Amino acid sequence: MPLTTYWAEYAWTGGTVEQGVAITATADGRIGRLTAGVTAPPPGATVLRGLTVPGLANAHSHAFHRALRGTVQVGSGTFWTWREEMYRVAARLTPDSYHALARAVYAEMALAGITAVGEFHYLHHAPDGSRYDQPNAMGEALVQAAADAGINITLLDAAYLASGFGRGRAGEPPNDRQARFSDGTAEAWAERVSAFKTSAPHARIGAAVHSVRAVPASQLRTVAEWARQHSAPLHVHLSEQTAENEACRRAHGCTPTRLLADHGVLGPGTTAVHATHLISDDIRLLGGSGTGVCMCPTTERDLADGIGPATRLQAAGTPLSLGSDSHAVIDLLEEARAMELNERLSSHTRGHWSAAQLLRAATADGHAALGRPEAGTLAPDAPADFTTIALDSVRTAGVPPRLGAEAAVFAATAADVRHTVVAGRQIVRDGAHTLVDDVPAALAEAIAALRD
Ligand SMILES: [Zn+2]
């Protein structure tokens, strides 16, 4: 197979914008050569007009939440009333209908410049809790959906064993709506996940603790050990809601972060998602252990969660990544700027992160959180995963090209993503998906199939 050559009008390499960058992709999907200062496209090169950046990493996704878009914007309520709506959709999904939905959602992600998704997955079993013939049928549907949409996936298989803290080893049993999430025990979860083998180059299997609500304290270590033994990333929802903190304090006399620390869950391979309501000791524990945090600003504002202490976490040593979580919108550029703009609103000062730092959270640090530390950079040997953002759209026109990163992060939207390349293959060309014919139609059809 011949090498594929791309020519980026501008490319963001190592924190600066270079003009005229030729990028060759090797047959195994890596960047072979990268040459700056190439003033005209080499013969046969695919031209990428705009600013090419490493592929974006969406470090926290629940693909099925995309079916709730719009319908949960009617009326009022809280995270907990929103959750009831979410459970209604969760109850309807089958391996086939979830494949169709996730394929369309991941195609939407590719159109937004996302080249890897962290799918935090807990819809494991049939709605009544019984096992499918293939116990990982739902996870396999998601891995196939990512392949069909042309993006990489880290399937973060989540242990979800209880509906609340309760008493004793088992916690409060899952309710009817949660029956399909539960494997019963962390040991049974580990056995099922261990049987989930994939050799597909686009897929990795990771682990997740749904939350301290959903995994009893005595079973946390089993999940953490499994992740460590398999060198797999470990994710956990953390302190998104103050009610979770209060219930944890009543049950265990400590914060969720302290509980995770005491049961071996924190560490450099771990990413806490949200980390919205923390005390100073929590921030020290997370930063001191090298635990990452994935902020999901568009979901956190949509669900009225609050603003997490991102600047303090980073200062304590925590790498930050970004996720679109509930998919109120799928736009990593919006997530990146929202992290900075939230801080501006709460601190009344500007410039907590540069555009380059925000892009790093949306790329290299996000890929690292998904167990893909080699990704997220435009450099030889890195995966040939990149995306091109228009600098001549109505939103970005007029910004000097040397400030392309600033234009991308602070003005562009997912609609300005023009090209996306994954493993050297162009999966978005001029704003159109090359593998999924009509992404809006695929979304509409998959979502309509889940309605009453
Ligand atoms: Zn989540």
Side-chain angles (χ1 to χ4, degrees), residues 122-211:
Y122 52 88
L123 291 182
H124 303 306
H125 306 297
D128 64 358
S130 59
R131 303 299 181 256
Y132 288 112
D133 291 343
Q134 299 291 338
N136 288 302
M138 291 294 259
E140 284 163 6
L142 293 165
V143 168
Q144 186 58 46
D148 294 345
I151 69 171
N152 298 297
I153 184 170
T154 298
L155 190 84
L156 299 157
D157 193 298
Y160 193 123
L161 310 171
S163 67
F165 289 97
R167 294 195 175 277
R169 180 170 154 76
E172 204 66 41
N175 61 35
D176 287 352
R177 292 183 182 285
Q178 298 160 340
R180 71 182 315 186
F181 310 163
S182 177
D183 292 291
T185 64
E187 288 79 9
W189 167 86
E191 197 178 318
R192 179 180 54 73
V193 182
S194 296
F196 194 162
K197 305 258 193 271
T198 174
S199 56
H202 77 294
R204 304 209 175 153
I205 307 297
V209 166
H210 178 276
S211 57

Side-chain angles (χ1 to χ4, degrees), residues 301-382:
R301 71 192 186 202
D302 185 69
L303 295 180
D305 290 344
I307 301 172
T311 49
R312 293 175 62 204
L313 281 162
Q314 182 163 278
T318 285
L320 299 172
S321 53
L322 297 161
S324 66
D325 187 8
S326 69
H327 311 315
V329 294
I330 293 176
D331 189 340
L332 259 283
L333 302 171
E334 173 64 28
E335 303 293 345
R337 72 173 153 263
M339 188 161 75
E340 162 70 18
L341 298 181
N342 280 351
E343 287 287 340
R344 292 186 188 182
L345 283 173
S346 64
S347 70
H348 307 169
T349 56
R350 308 175 79 234
H352 303 276
W353 291 279
S354 65
Q357 288 172 311
L358 293 167
L359 264 184
R360 187 178 164 84
T363 57
D365 289 345
H367 291 290
L370 299 180
R372 311 179 72 249
E374 71 284 10
T377 176
L378 293 179
D381 289 336

Side-chain angles (χ1 to χ4, degrees), residues 60 62 237 274 325:
H60 190 65
H62 307 283
H237 286 130
H274 303 302
D325 187 8

